[in-house]
Every structure is written in C-alpha cells, then in structure tokens.
Amino acid sequence: MSAPSQKPGPFPDDFLFGVATAAYQIEGAVDIDGRKPSIWDTYSHEPGRVLNGDTGNIACNHYHLWESDLDLIKSMHVGAYRFSLSWSRLIPDGTGVVNQKGLDFYDRLIDGCLERNLKPFVTLYHWDLPQTLQDNGGWAQRSTAEAFAAYAALVVNEFGDRIDCISTFNEPWCSAILGNLMGVHAPGNQDLALALKCVHHQHLAHGLATKTIKSIRPELPVGIVLNLQSVYAAEQGEEHDAAVDRHRDFHNHLFTDPLFEGRYPQSVMNVLGQNLPDTWEKDLQTIQQPLDYWGLNYYQPTRVLHDKDSTANFPQTKDAPKAHDATLTDLGWEVAPATMVDLLSEMYQRYDLPPCFITENGACYNDSPVNGEVKDDRRIEYLDAHLKSVSQAISLDIPVQGYFAWSLMDNFEWSEGYDSRFGLVFVDYKTQTRTVKKSGHWYAQLAEIYLS
Ligand code: IFM
C-alpha cells in the first residue's frame, strides 16, 4: 500500500518508533537448554485457565527463529525493539545457579539487535516469575524482591553495556491484581490481603533493582512500564464522580504514588492499609527512586459506576456497560484515542515526572490471510488515531520520546490464548510462517518516513 496520505504527527526528530514483545508470549522452548517453569507454565497447564487450553510451550518459537524475527523487525524500519527476559531461563530457580545457555540466548539476541541497528529496550519482568519462587510464596514474600534485585544485577553485569534502556517491571498492576486478586492471570489467586502484599513487594523489588542497576551502571537509563487507566464516570452524579476518584486511587495511584512520590494514597490506606507488610513505611524511601523515564502501555479507557452493593470491596466501583455507539476491537475493548492524552495530562499534572515512552499500544483484530494478504485496515485506523494523540500530547508539552506498537507479531495473549491477535505480523502457529499484515507494511512506511 502507499504511505498514509495524512501521516500522523508531527514528531520530534529524535522520536523513536519501535515494536514490542514479551518472553513468555513468543519464545516457546520452555523446557530447553536449562530453562525451568515459570508461573505461567504452571498456570497455563491448569485446566480451564486459558482459552482452548493454550500454553506458551511453543508460542512463536522465537527461541529458535530469533534471527529471522530480528530481520523482520529491521525490515519495518523501526529504531528499537522492546522485549522481556525470561527470569527462569537465566536463573531457573529464581535465585542461585545461573544458566549459561540462557545468557547465551540473550547475548545472541542483543548482539543481533545491535548488528541491525535496533536499540534494545529490555524489560526484566513481564509476569513470568520462576515457579520455585512462587512455591516459596511469590510476590507476597519480601525475599522475592531481594531475589529480583540479584537478577537485575546479573542482567546489568552481562548486558548493561549493550542495551539502551532497562525497565524493571511491565504492568505491575496485572501481576498483582489480575494474578493475585482477580485470579485471571498466573498464579491465579483471589485474595485481597495477599494481592496488597504483592503490590508492595513488587514496588520494593523495583526500588531495590533500580538502586542496584544504578550502582553498577549509572549511565544506563532505568524506568518502569505501567498500564494506567484513564477513568471516566459512565453516568452523571456525585456518587459516580466519587467512584472515579476511588477507582483511580486503587488502580492507578496505588502504583504511581509510591513509585513517584514515596507514599500510598490515603483512601486506600484508610480501608486496606492493614494488609500491607509491616515494613511498608520504612520501604517507601527505597521504592521511590529517581527514574530516567517511565513507560505507558495504553489500549482503552475505563468507564465506571458507583457500585450500590455496600458489601463490595474498595474501591466499590463496577465497570459500566459499553455505550451502544462505542467502537470496539475484537476483544471488545473501546477505541478512544483522545483518552490517552487525558491520562498523560493527568499524570504530568499530578507528578513531577521524567520523559515517557508509549511502551505499548495496539489492538486485537483477528483478520486472517486471504490470498496471502492480511487486510487489517481497522488496526491501521487504530494505530493512526493513537499516533495522532501522541503527537497531540507532545504539542501540549508532554515529553513523549517514542512509541512501541504492540505487538511485533501475533502471540500468546495470556488467558485469551492464541485466538486474540495483536500483531503487525500474522503468525500461522502450525507452520510458524510469518506474514506481514497490511498494518505492518503501513507502520514500516511510517517509521521510514520519520527516519529519513
Ligand atoms: O499482550 C499484552 C501484553 O503482554 C501486556 N500489555 C497488554 C497486551 C495486550 O493485552
């Protein structure tokens, strides 16, 4: 296809375009070369947890196809590749013995990025906790935070000279809340008190790891990637407005206040504070580390209502039904790009923040190849509209330095398995053939225009 007639933008000259993936979603090779199970191996093998019983056993077989996958990324003219490391490939039990073959894999991958002039943006934790650590209590235990700092030290000592940016966590909300409160992600717990301990220890792990990374390699940019919600009341009324405030406190500020201001939101403390570990107060100083950037993963707005059920847990909100005229993706997520600008503005008003990257943005559309072509025009519209919002945010002086499309290719979409496709590249899981979708060609042309 030809270049978009009206390209989104403008963007600053050094604005970075990239694509993103995560280890468990693409690598496969789960029991090869010394890797041991993570909580997602365990969880996905439990009956009924993942749609169709899908697992990450093979995924996109990226562990073996990494070289041609990097060529594919290069062919898209992007400047950066954001990926995560599998902790259980590097330190199979989470602590102790280091797996040389795991180091070798990421050595090859990082060198492969550099050979192709792709900046490696590395994430330490994209939800795949080594199962041995979970067997010892997982994120509910302080020792897991300490183990994470040791893992960060290994990564920075090995790869720190060759990577551009390192993020401690990807979407800590998901691993704590979806995984330990809602029970729809690994490890599948539904326990509010436990979930709050996990939130705190993930924060602590971030703080300890950031300090460790900076002590080893002060010049390496360190940040954290958050999936914050842009929250709106679905109906007018004071009770719904108050519900929005509570929802933001629980789902956003429970994460951002400690990380960026070294405190917990008062409304959460009033109701749930007793569930935090006893050490919470003295840990806050460690948690609030100066960061070089932060990442926002953004997909859709959240519309809520006050929950009239007085026995409902804090924040006592419920999701509103989708408006009849809302545009939805194939996963039923609302398409509303301007809400991303609202959220960015809100964040920069509330906190004194470093620059940010949109570290993920994209949409699930399940178009398949017809005569060898995947005509996913809806994905192009989605990406185009969100890139226009990024440009608008920049025009409002919000320092967005880059944008990573989620995802390079279709992959294991967690509890939704392989049916939900977010890729710019179509993956035929039977043959492992990759077909660049129309959106992939579009994104490549866009990146090329801004590159030149
Ligand atoms: O696939 C996920 C990714 O792992 C984290 N952010 C959201 C994506 C789409 O659900």
Side-chain angles (χ1 to χ4, degrees):
M1 72 169 278
S2 56
S5 50
Q6 251 200 320
K7 59 179 187 181
F11 295 105
D13 284 348
D14 55 355
F15 190 81
L16 198 58
F17 284 92
V19 290
T21 64
Y24 190 71
Q25 294 181 273
I26 64 164
E27 283 182 5
V30 291
D31 52 4
I32 285 178
D33 289 345
R35 182 189 180 279
K36 282 195 179 176
S38 75
I39 55 174
W40 267 97
D41 295 280
T42 309
Y43 182 82
S44 62
H45 282 82
E46 288 168 8
R49 295 294 204 181
V50 176
L51 196 67
N52 306 322
D54 290 344
T55 73
N57 282 6
I58 298 173
C60 305
N61 197 17
H62 173 74
Y63 187 73
H64 294 110
L65 300 178
W66 64 272
E67 220 166 347
S68 48
D69 285 341
L70 289 185
D71 288 340
L72 196 56
I73 300 173
K74 184 63 195 161
S75 76
M76 291 182 155
H77 305 294
V78 296
Y81 176 39
R82 173 177 177 255
F83 57 94
S84 76
L85 309 182
S86 158
W87 188 347
S88 34
R89 205 179 282 293
L90 289 169
I91 311 175
D93 288 306
T95 54
V97 179
V98 172
N99 179 25
Q100 185 57 47
K101 288 191 171 157
L103 290 175
D104 294 345
F105 172 64
Y106 292 115
D107 248 329
R108 294 193 290 274
L109 188 68
I110 290 167
D111 285 346
C113 285
L114 298 180
E115 280 156 20
R116 291 164 182 80
N117 228 356
L118 296 166
K119 294 183 194 307
F121 273 53
V122 168
T123 305
L124 289 172
Y125 189 75
H126 199 122
W127 311 347
D128 42 358
L129 188 72
Q131 182 59 41
T132 308
L133 291 181
Q134 185 61 40
D135 295 342
N136 293 329
W139 288 113
Q141 293 299 323
R142 188 179 187 86
S143 52
T144 302
E146 287 155 2
F148 183 75
Y151 161 52
L154 171 76
V155 169
V156 175
N157 279 321
E158 293 288 333
F159 309 124
D161 57 336
R162 284 170 289 153
I163 62 182
D164 278 75
C165 277
I166 188 162
S167 300
T168 53
F169 279 76
N170 177 77
E171 304 182 0
W173 179 89
C174 292
S175 37
I177 304 296
L178 294 181
N180 290 284
L181 174 60
M182 299 181 180
V184 294
H185 271 199
N189 296 318
Q190 289 180 290
D191 181 332
L192 180 59
L194 181 90
L196 282 155
K197 288 184 182 59
C198 294
V199 168
H200 183 79
H201 289 134
Q202 288 185 166
H203 289 338
L204 180 64
H206 159 82
L208 290 171
T210 302
K211 278 176 83 167
T212 304
I213 295 165
K214 283 293 179 191
S215 71
I216 300 172
R217 197 161 270 280
E219 72 283 9
L220 178 63
V222 186
I224 187 165
V225 170
L226 303 169
N227 59 319
L228 302 174
Q229 302 184 15
S230 196
V231 192
Y232 304 85
E235 287 175 23
Q236 286 186 340
E238 269 173 32
E239 57 175 0
H240 300 305
D241 292 343
V244 166
D245 289 342
R246 293 194 306 273
H247 194 95
R248 282 198 187 114
D249 277 351
F250 187 73
H251 292 287
N252 288 348
H253 305 151
L254 178 59
F255 294 82
T256 49
D257 282 0
L259 294 170
F260 299 141
E261 286 192 338
R263 64 188 174 90
Y264 275 107
Q266 198 53 53
S267 68
V268 180
M269 288 311 286
N270 291 345
V271 187
L272 301 174
Q274 77 277 9
N275 296 303
L276 290 174
D278 296 341
T279 53
W280 70 268
E281 207 161 3
K282 77 174 174 43
D283 291 336
L284 285 171
Q285 216 186 339
T286 306
I287 291 170
Q288 187 203 0
Q289 290 299 314
L291 296 178
D292 300 297
Y293 69 92
W294 67 286
L296 174 66
N297 291 356
Y298 194 76
Y299 291 88
Q300 62 161 342
T302 304
R303 304 196 190 272
V304 299
L305 293 168
H306 169 65
D307 189 345
K308 291 197 172 63
D309 175 1
S310 57
T311 64
N313 278 332
F314 187 87
Q316 219 190 324
T317 58
K318 55 182 184 186
D319 289 345
K322 303 282 181 210
H324 73 278
D325 57 350
T327 307
L328 304 179
T329 70
D330 286 349
L331 258 182
W333 296 7
E334 183 182 342
V335 182
T339 61
M340 180 166 66
V341 186
D342 290 350
L343 177 61
L344 285 167
S345 306
E346 197 181 303
M347 289 299 292
Y348 278 91
Q349 268 161 30
R350 186 175 175 96
Y351 306 107
D352 182 14
L353 289 173
C356 74
F357 292 92
I358 302 302
T359 30
E360 283 180 27
N361 176 242
C364 169
Y365 290 118
N366 299 323
D367 308 282
S368 304
V370 177
N371 299 327
E373 271 186 282
V374 183
K375 293 193 173 160
D376 56 339
D377 293 86
R378 293 175 300 169
R379 180 172 286 103
I380 296 178
E381 276 170 39
Y382 180 99
L383 297 174
D384 182 58
H386 283 79
L387 277 162
K388 286 188 171 115
S389 287
V390 172
S391 177
Q392 196 201 334
I394 294 170
S395 74
L396 298 172
D397 287 334
I398 296 172
V400 189
Q401 296 190 329
Y403 174 95
F404 291 79
W406 184 269
S407 175
L408 163 66
M409 57 188 162
D410 298 333
N411 57 51
F412 177 75
E413 178 52 22
W414 309 110
S415 304
E416 305 295 336
Y418 293 102
D419 282 0
S420 294
R421 294 176 178 269
F422 279 81
L424 296 173
V425 174
F426 183 89
V427 177
D428 177 332
Y429 294 107
K430 287 205 182 79
T431 61
Q432 290 295 344
T433 309
R434 276 77 163 132
T435 305
V436 180
K437 300 180 189 177
K438 193 170 170 183
S439 62
H441 291 297
W442 174 84
Y443 192 62
Q445 287 192 359
L446 189 76
E448 193 176 21
I449 293 170
Y450 283 108
L451 202 71
S452 55

